[in-house]
């Protein structure tokens, strides 16, 4: 598990992470598996991801028919189910005919005995993982290990999907000097005298800082610059 977690952490992209995950699922004996947000597997939103090694014909059909909008497995997780078998009577018998048809078509493509467990949402989108086998009986230890691997993978994938943190623009030396003195309560005239420049130049530098940091006033500019370590608090 530690080796797998390190491999996930080392993955720098979603395709690389998916290869690590897929190899782990197959090594544990799961021919088919799916992991990720409840979205179109061929066209997931930018804020989420879908890993899926299901048969290509099924994935294409599933996406074309927009089954992800009424997927019985997805709906069960969103209703609060945390871990369930697709063939469990308590799950299957309560499904409307359209959702039963989806499971029947999936079986025809080789997706027979599935087990799904819920995952933490990716932003505001529900997420889960499904593990599929050819037989009813599954080694409990293999399932427990795969479930843990899915949690680890999902955590790393969510980080890779997250938008990059906004970076604070780097200020010039003179801009930092003007803003630092301004933060200490100096007037524009006093700053100009201390730095040996004109008042107009002081105002131009501070206005440039305010514009570059995208704030409405000098106080906000000083706070933002201090938080990014460019001036002293």
């Amino acid at each position: 598990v530690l080796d797998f977690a390190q491999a996930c952490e080392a993955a720098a992209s979603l395709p690389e992470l998916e290869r690590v995950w897929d190899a782990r699922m197959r090594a544990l004996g799961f021919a088919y598996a799916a992991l990720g947000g409840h979205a179109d597997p061929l066209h997931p939103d930018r804020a989420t991801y879908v890993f899926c090694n299901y048969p290509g014909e099924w994935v294409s059909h599933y996406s074309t028919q927009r089954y992800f909008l009424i997927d019985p497995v997805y709906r069960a997780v969103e209703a609060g189910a945390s871990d369930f078998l697709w063939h469990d009577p308590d799950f299957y018998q309560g499904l409307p005919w359209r959702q039963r048809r989806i499971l029947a078509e999936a079986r025809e493509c080789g997706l027979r005995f599935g087990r799904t467990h819920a995952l933490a949402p990716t932003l505001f989108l529900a997420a889960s993982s499904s593990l599929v086998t050819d037989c009813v009986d599954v080694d409990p230890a293999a399932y427990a290990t795969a479930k843990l691997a899915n949690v680890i993978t999902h955590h790393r994938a969510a980080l890779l999907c997250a938008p990059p943190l906004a970076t604070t623009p780097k200020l010039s030396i003179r801009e930092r000097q003007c803003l630092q003195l301004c933060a200490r309560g100096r007037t524009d005239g006093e700053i100009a005298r201390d730095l040996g420049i004109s008042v107009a130049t002081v105002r131009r530098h501070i206005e440039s800082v305010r514009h570059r940091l995208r704030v409405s006033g000098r106080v906000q500019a000083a706070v933002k610059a201090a938080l990014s370590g460019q001036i002293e608090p």
Side-chain angles (χ1 to χ4, degrees), residues 50-228:
V50 178
F51 293 167
C52 179
N53 64 7
Y54 289 173
E57 60 177 333
W58 168 249
V59 175
S60 178
H61 177 67
Y62 180 95
S63 177
T64 301
Q65 297 298 318
R66 299 178 66 80
Y67 281 165
F68 54 90
L69 296 176
I70 59 169
D71 188 319
V73 172
Y74 285 178
R75 298 294 84 82
V77 170
E78 292 161 11
S82 60
D83 196 324
F84 59 93
L85 298 166
W86 297 358
H87 57 277
D88 187 332
D90 291 338
F91 166 68
Y92 185 79
Q93 292 177 2
L95 299 177
W97 70 269
R98 293 183 66 189
Q99 292 184 329
R100 290 190 181 190
R101 186 181 68 183
I102 291 176
L103 292 179
E105 292 177 1
R107 285 195 295 270
E108 292 176 1
C109 290
L111 302 172
R112 302 183 62 192
F113 301 105
R115 184 169 181 174
T116 297
H117 65 92
L119 294 167
T122 54
L123 293 183
F124 300 105
L125 194 64
S128 61
S129 176
S130 294
L131 301 166
V132 185
T133 59
D134 295 328
C135 60
V136 176
D137 296 326
V138 177
D139 179 6
Y143 178 73
T145 302
K147 187 175 180 179
L148 178 57
N150 285 334
V151 172
I152 294 171
T153 305
H154 179 63
H155 175 72
R156 178 58 180 160
L159 292 177
L160 291 173
C161 287
L165 296 175
T167 57
T168 302
K170 186 175 181 179
L171 305 179
S172 68
I173 294 176
R174 187 63 84 186
E175 287 173 338
R176 294 200 303 273
Q177 290 174 335
C178 290
L179 189 60
Q180 181 71 76
L181 292 172
C182 179
R184 291 175 178 170
R186 301 291 184 86
T187 65
D188 290 349
E190 291 171 334
I191 296 172
R193 185 180 63 251
D194 290 346
L195 298 179
I197 57 179
S198 68
V199 172
T201 300
V202 171
R203 292 173 178 169
R204 185 170 64 251
H205 282 311
I206 294 179
E207 179 63 20
S208 173
V209 169
R210 190 191 64 76
H211 177 74
R212 292 179 61 196
L213 296 184
R214 298 183 179 183
V215 294
S216 59
R218 296 184 175 195
V219 173
Q220 295 95 322
V223 170
K224 196 166 185 178
L227 289 175
S228 65

Side-chain angles (χ1 to χ4, degrees), residues 4 20-34 53 129-131 145-147 149-150 153:
F4 176 76
V20 173
W21 166 81
D22 182 64
R24 185 59 172 163
M25 293 300 104
R26 294 183 186 278
L28 290 170
F30 297 99
Y32 298 118
N53 64 7
S129 176
S130 294
L131 301 166
T145 302
K147 187 175 180 179
N150 285 334
T153 305

